Amino acid sequence: MVCVRLRHASPERPNAPDHLIQDGVDQGRQKAGVKGRWHDNRHTLVTELAESGAGDEVIMSIAGHVSRAMLSRYSHVRMEAKRRALDEIAVRQRAADEKRQQELEKLQQIALVSPPVVVQ
């Protein structure tokens, strides 16, 4: 585990307390030899939320986005997630097709067995 001492706000950024956390994370990342940027976490979070099926409004609320344009900028849905979504739709469609086919076959069997009814 890497212990990180948070720095105090510098004179250049006296009104930026959120940078204290970022600075601490940056220090820890450097000490641990981890590649990546603090901001990458936002992209990862939004992408993971989108791939989990969370709705746009939910994602925008969590990420603090005020427009769908910003949401689309941060969301990088991976090809594998797109494939899974399309595969799920294909499975549901096949099941619905099979159910319709079975119902049609039942109706055809009933029509063959039942004598026609004449209405006068």
Side-chain angles (χ1 to χ4, degrees):
M1 177 173 218
V2 176
C3 182
V4 177
R5 181 177 52 86
L6 297 178
R7 295 192 303 241
H8 295 287
S10 67
E12 297 82 27
R13 311 181 282 184
N15 298 322
D18 60 324
H19 280 76
L20 291 176
I21 295 171
Q22 182 175 341
D23 288 350
V25 170
D26 288 344
Q27 289 174 24
R29 180 182 49 78
Q30 289 170 358
K31 286 182 180 180
V34 174
K35 303 276 187 243
R37 300 170 302 151
W38 168 263
H39 189 72
D40 294 340
N41 294 317
R42 284 182 62 87
H43 289 268
T44 301
L45 173 65
V46 171
T47 298
E48 292 291 333
L49 286 169
E51 289 181 354
S52 74
D56 289 353
E57 295 298 323
V58 171
I59 298 170
M60 289 170 63
S61 175
I62 291 171
H65 295 153
V66 294
S67 71
R68 294 203 190 281
M70 187 57 69
L71 176 62
S72 67
R73 179 178 178 86
Y74 276 83
S75 180
H76 309 286
V77 180
R78 294 175 277 251
M79 186 59 69
E80 183 57 33
K82 292 176 187 178
R83 282 191 189 110
R84 272 195 320 268
L86 291 171
D87 287 345
E88 289 174 19
I89 290 171
V91 166
R92 283 194 299 252
Q93 187 63 49
R94 278 193 293 275
D97 289 346
E98 288 174 10
K99 184 177 179 181
R100 278 192 296 275
Q101 184 62 36
Q102 290 171 355
E103 289 172 357
L104 180 61
E105 289 171 2
K106 278 184 185 179
L107 289 173
Q108 289 172 343
Q109 288 175 355
I110 291 171
L112 291 174
V113 173
S114 301
V117 176
V118 177
V119 178
Q120 297 182 0

